[in-house]
Amino acid sequence: MLLLGIDTSGKTASAALFDSDTETFLAQTSLYTQKTHSQVIMPAVKEMIAQAGKQITDIGGIAVANGPGSYTGLRIGVAAAKAMSFGLGVKCCGVSTLLGLACNNLAHKGHICSIIKARAELVYTCTYKSDGFCIEQVTEEQIISRDELAEYLALNIGECLLCGDGAADFFNDYRSPVFTIAPPQGRLQNAVGVCLAGISRQLTEPELLEVSYLQKVKAEKDLEQKNA
C-alpha cells in the first residue's frame, strides 16, 4: 500500500510517500516556511507524487499529524487529509505529532522525549522508549511547564534524546549530561515520522478524523470567560 503522510503541525510543511510492501520511502518533501500551510501543502503533495512517478489515485491511505501543535496548521493538514480521503475513496488516520517526532528518531535505542512549544513556559510533551525498531509510549501526552518536565526526566527517566521544536531551548536551558538532542533532520516535525507511526494504525473513514489540541482553543476559553 502507498501511504501518504502529511504534517503541518508546526513551521514545517511536510509530505512523504511510503510503500509499506517494500518498506521504502518513495519520496519526501519538507519546507520550513513563513507562508500559510494552505498555500504550500497541496502543491507540495502533488509535485512529490509526480516526482515519484506515481498518480494520486495510487494512494491507498493517508496519515496526518492531528496534534498537538499549531491550531491553524493542524486544521489545514487535517482538512487536506479528509478532503483527499473523501475524493479518492480511501481511509485515513490521525497520528500524534509527539509520536511522529519520536518515530523520526526510531533508530535511537533508549528514551525519547518529544517537546513542542505551547505558550510561555508551557510545552506539549510525551516520553517514549525505542528499541531501534518499535516505539513504546512511557507517559501520557500532556501540556506542562518546562520546569516540571525537567524534574520528571531527571527523577524518572535519566538518559534521553530530546526532539521537537522546543528541544533546543530546553536542552540549552536545562543542561545535563543525561540529555542529548536529536540532529537537525530528526528534530522538527516531519511526515516521515507520521508515515512510520501511521502504518501500524488502523485506517478509518475520513469523517472520524479529528484534531487533538491537548488544550482548549481560544474560542472555548473566551466562551468560558464570558459565562463565568
Side-chain angles (χ1 to χ4, degrees):
M1 181 185 72
L2 286 185
L3 180 69
L4 172 66
I6 295 174
D7 194 323
T8 56
S9 61
K11 291 289 187 181
T12 303
S14 179
L17 191 62
F18 184 67
D19 184 342
S20 62
D21 295 330
T22 61
E23 295 188 337
T24 303
F25 279 98
L26 303 182
Q28 54 182 292
T29 181
S30 293
L31 179 64
Y32 190 86
T33 178
Q34 299 299 321
K35 294 182 179 180
T36 303
H37 286 317
S38 59
Q39 297 177 271
V40 298
I41 190 60
M42 288 311 299
V45 167
K46 291 177 181 178
E47 181 179 358
M48 179 192 68
I49 292 173
Q51 289 293 329
K54 300 294 182 180
Q55 303 292 325
I56 196 167
T57 51
D58 293 329
I59 294 173
I62 301 173
V64 60
N66 69 336
S70 161
Y71 292 158
T72 302
L74 290 171
R75 289 196 297 270
I76 290 170
V78 168
K82 293 179 75 167
M84 292 181 66
S85 294
F86 278 119
L88 297 173
V90 300
K91 294 184 178 182
C92 59
C93 69
V95 171
S96 163
T97 313
L98 297 165
L99 176 59
L101 280 165
C103 288
N104 283 339
N105 299 280
L106 180 62
H108 175 77
K109 293 183 179 180
H111 286 99
I112 302 171
C113 181
S114 300
I115 307 171
I116 299 177
K117 295 177 183 177
R119 62 181 189 276
E121 286 295 303
L122 297 178
V123 292
Y124 303 110
T125 186
C126 188
T127 301
Y128 304 87
K129 189 172 185 179
S130 170
D131 62 4
F133 298 94
C134 297
I135 294 285
E136 176 187 356
Q137 186 171 333
V138 175
T139 66
E140 295 294 323
E141 294 186 356
Q142 53 191 324
I143 177 171
I144 59 176
S145 73
R146 299 197 313 155
D147 285 347
E148 289 176 299
L149 176 58
E151 181 180 5
Y152 172 79
L153 294 177
L155 296 177
N156 299 278
I157 299 300
E159 293 185 0
C160 68
L161 178 75
L162 308 177
C163 59
D165 62 19
D169 288 343
F170 186 90
F171 178 77
N172 291 328
D173 294 340
Y174 299 90
R175 285 195 175 274
S176 168
V178 300
F179 294 157
T180 56
I181 189 167
Q185 70 270 21
R187 196 176 305 168
L188 297 182
Q189 291 96 314
N190 192 299
V192 168
V194 171
C195 284
L196 292 174
I199 200 64
S200 61
R201 296 180 63 86
Q202 181 177 358
L203 300 179
T204 61
E205 300 299 330
E207 57 265 27
L208 299 178
L209 180 60
E210 297 180 348
V211 177
S212 176
Y213 294 115
L214 280 192
Q215 64 171 318
K216 296 175 181 177
V217 298
K218 184 177 184 300
E220 293 175 315
K221 294 176 184 175
D222 291 344
L223 182 59
E224 286 184 354
Q225 290 178 356
K226 182 179 179 180
N227 295 333

